[in-house]
Amino acid sequence: MTLTVTEEEVEMKVSELVEKFGLKVFSGESGLENEISGGYVSDLLSDVMGNAQEGQVWITLQTHQNVMAIASLKELAAVILVKGFEPEEDTLERSNEEGIPVLGTDKATFEMAGNLFITLT
Amino acid sequence: MKLEFDIASGDFSKAGRASSRIKKMLKQLQVDPKVIKRIVVAIYEAEVNVVAHSVGGKMLAEIDGTGITVVVQDNGPGIEDIEKAMQEGYSTATKAVRNMGFGAGMGLPNINRNTDEFTIESEVGEGTVLTFRNNF
């Protein structure tokens, strides 16, 4: 007998994540249909640069526009700012240009990352 | 094909400009995405290093049929101990720069890890020259 196990992949779009967790959409609305491949959590930019993968959602408390430079270079799906942090003006502009949404939550990183992990696995 | 960029000291808003331009160009040339992903990490880190640590400098990227070579040259102050600078976690970045999430001592190791060839030369009082290359 052969048993074929097909791994069920959870496919999710940024817009579904927004809805599920009541995230605030600051900018980059044109990227709300981006597909999410996973998540990455770090406030060290070089760590994200070196280790994040395409299509991941990046959870951070950094709010300046270099966040968007990295999100764009790494082709991330979206950025979630935690603990009620808000993006700076040039971060918003860059997010709109790149079509990579900047989202917000009042939750702390631990809780947000936990939610995302459970949702995607 | 040659591209040249000036990199001003302290201007973090411009960090990522060279890497973004080069990424677009390599995409147009239909270079393997895996190659693009690696070289872009190296170029971004090199840009940030010039902004964060030097008095300013420039980047020269040359794309030929077999790969991309990038030379990043700054006008000082130079690195005292290159071996230390290459260590993961070692950084001389200021507190302000660290608060932005830079200065984790991962920049040069990231460049080393994401390039096929990498050399770094530095002289205190003169400046630093990074040369790296990735083959297509």
Side-chain angles (χ1 to χ4, degrees):
Chain A
M1 193 179 78
T2 359
L3 191 69
T4 317
V5 181
T6 45
E7 205 173 306
E8 220 177 297
E9 215 173 277
V10 184
E11 277 180 24
M12 194 173 213
K13 287 180 173 166
V14 174
S15 57
E16 294 169 71
L17 196 68
V18 167
E19 201 170 321
K20 192 167 165 86
F21 296 109
L23 303 176
K24 186 169 180 184
V25 180
F26 289 112
S27 55
E29 283 85 354
S30 66
L32 285 172
E33 297 309 297
N34 290 347
E35 290 276 354
I36 299 168
S37 68
Y40 200 76
V41 180
S42 185
D43 300 317
L44 298 177
L45 304 190
S46 285
D47 178 34
V48 179
M49 208 53 215
N51 299 299
Q53 302 294 323
E54 186 179 340
Q56 288 181 337
V57 172
W58 175 16
I59 301 174
T60 184
L61 47 71
Q62 298 290 353
T63 59
H64 53 86
Q65 68 158 324
N66 295 91
V67 166
M68 291 319 299
I70 290 171
S72 160
L73 288 169
K74 301 296 285 185
E75 299 181 23
L76 303 180
V79 176
I80 302 178
L81 305 182
V82 293
K83 297 202 291 187
F85 279 102
E86 294 190 4
E88 288 163 26
E89 193 55 42
D90 43 18
T91 308
L92 293 174
E93 283 167 25
R94 192 76 195 270
S95 157
N96 287 330
E97 279 167 29
E98 303 285 348
I100 300 174
V102 174
L103 313 171
T105 177
D106 288 332
K107 292 185 173 72
T109 304
F110 180 70
E111 201 182 333
M112 188 62 235
N115 284 336
L116 183 63
F117 183 80
I118 290 167
T119 306
L120 293 176
T121 50
Chain B
M1 193 180 304
K2 282 182 189 173
L3 289 163
E4 195 175 333
F5 302 89
D6 287 320
I7 307 171
S9 174
D11 189 358
F12 281 95
S13 71
K14 298 266 169 57
R17 202 172 57 99
S19 32
S20 174
R21 272 276 307 282
I22 294 169
K23 183 185 172 189
K24 279 193 190 119
M25 180 143 289
L26 293 174
K27 271 193 162 178
Q28 276 170 10
L29 294 169
Q30 296 182 320
V31 171
D32 181 354
K34 281 186 197 134
V35 175
I36 299 178
K37 283 197 173 92
R38 292 182 75 221
I39 195 74
V40 155
V41 172
I43 295 170
Y44 180 78
E45 294 288 7
E47 281 182 81
V48 168
N49 277 347
V50 174
V51 173
H53 297 287
S54 84
V55 299
K58 62 180 179 187
M59 174 181 292
L60 201 79
E62 195 170 350
I63 302 165
D64 59 46
T66 59
I68 172 167
T69 305
V70 180
V71 180
V72 188
Q73 189 161 16
D74 70 42
N75 304 314
I79 301 169
E80 274 180 37
D81 190 335
I82 292 180
E83 210 174 302
K84 255 192 184 168
M86 287 300 299
Q87 278 173 20
E88 189 112 31
Y90 179 84
S91 177
T92 58
T94 62
K95 194 164 184 294
V97 169
R98 284 173 202 256
N99 284 346
M100 289 176 78
F102 294 112
M106 300 171 82
L108 289 173
N110 264 355
I111 295 174
N112 194 28
R113 209 173 290 128
N114 285 284
T115 50
D116 296 335
E117 294 163 39
F118 173 44
T119 58
I120 175 167
E121 290 166 279
S122 192
E123 195 149 332
V124 174
E126 295 286 321
T128 302
V129 182
L130 263 66
T131 308
F132 49 83
R133 179 179 167 83
N134 278 12
N135 299 312
F136 294 157

